Amino acid sequence: MEPIILASGSPRRQEILKMMGIPFQVIIPEINESDVGNTPVEQVSEYLAIKKVNWVTKSLQPAQEVPWILGADTLITLNGKKYGKPSDLNQAVSFLQDFSGKTHTVYTSIALYNGKLHDLATRTAVTRVTFAELSSQEIDWYIATGEWHNAAGGYRIQGFGSYFIKRIEGTNSTVVGLPLFELYDMLKEQGYELIEQ
């Protein structure tokens, strides 16, 4: 399989690519994720995924052949409010208090650049997650696990955060940060050999 540049420092996304058997190298884009201009909320994750890929493309040496580049971004919304990664413990607590007993929407967008075709394709997966009512003790306990660090919305669905998820409409991989069906389908569409014949 051809190597891919992953424009993300997310360990979860790296784990997914390893699971898929895709060889990759990581280049972490230096972008301001809060600088999204007037982009509508439901398009912010796509805007940032593209921005990450573009940053990596420009960072490569002019003579270097640009291979496959994969960018991804996850954003959570509830009642029109955006939730990215909490900046500190207090914000993580606030996020969980907001999600308690409610349904929020998770958008994960992927941008895939094909260096051979000079083509950039994007897809966005949407999943709705319903939390149970959380007590202050449960929130304190969860915050103490440290899972909120560097996680969109301040929780991880693949960890202890799953204890509080009452219902999910969509896919787990969207919430983890790299929707598997969309990624597989895009790679197949672009002619990337993922399944050995």
Side-chain angles (χ1 to χ4, degrees):
M1 276 187 268
E2 296 171 88
I4 285 179
I5 292 175
L6 175 63
S8 169
S10 162
R12 268 66 51 200
R13 293 182 182 126
Q14 293 173 39
E15 283 163 18
I16 289 172
L17 291 184
K18 281 177 192 161
M19 180 201 75
M20 294 174 81
I22 296 174
F24 66 94
Q25 72 170 105
V26 173
I27 298 178
I28 301 172
E30 296 169 24
I31 64 162
N32 179 358
E33 293 190 18
S34 60
D35 179 19
V36 294
N38 295 319
T39 310
V41 170
E42 64 277 4
Q43 292 170 24
V44 166
S45 60
E46 181 184 62
Y47 174 85
L48 290 173
I50 292 169
K51 200 171 173 179
K52 290 173 183 179
V53 168
N54 288 340
W55 189 94
V56 169
T57 306
K58 289 180 183 133
S59 76
L60 298 173
Q61 297 298 322
Q64 187 177 345
E65 187 179 318
V66 178
W68 299 90
I69 303 172
L70 175 66
D73 191 78
T74 301
L75 178 76
I76 293 174
T77 66
L78 175 64
N79 300 328
K81 182 179 170 185
K82 292 183 292 193
Y83 295 80
K85 297 167 188 162
S87 56
D88 57 29
L89 183 146
N90 290 335
Q91 191 170 53
V93 169
S94 167
F95 284 7
L96 294 175
Q97 288 170 339
D98 288 354
F99 297 156
S100 175
K102 297 188 189 80
T103 301
H104 60 265
T105 305
V106 181
Y107 297 90
T108 294
S109 296
I110 46 181
L112 179 68
Y113 180 76
N114 181 335
K116 291 177 195 156
L117 301 178
H118 304 286
D119 180 67
L120 179 67
T122 62
R123 294 268 183 100
T124 299
V126 182
T127 292
R128 289 170 57 76
V129 178
T130 303
F131 264 49
E133 292 277 353
L134 302 179
S135 67
S136 56
Q137 288 98 324
E138 285 172 318
I139 291 174
D140 290 345
W141 171 82
Y142 186 70
I143 294 300
T145 69
E147 276 191 357
W148 62 272
H149 285 283
N150 208 29
Y155 73 91
R156 296 198 195 288
I157 196 170
Q158 73 277 31
F160 296 119
S162 60
Y163 288 7
F164 309 129
I165 294 169
K166 196 173 180 180
R167 187 170 66 251
I168 179 167
E169 299 161 66
T171 65
N172 271 33
S173 60
T174 297
V175 187
V176 172
L178 199 58
L180 278 166
F181 169 75
E182 284 76 8
L183 177 58
Y184 172 74
D185 203 45
M186 283 174 82
L187 288 168
K188 186 169 76 170
E189 194 176 81
Q190 293 284 329
Y192 183 92
E193 294 290 333
L194 194 56
I195 296 174
E196 311 254 341
Q197 298 299 323

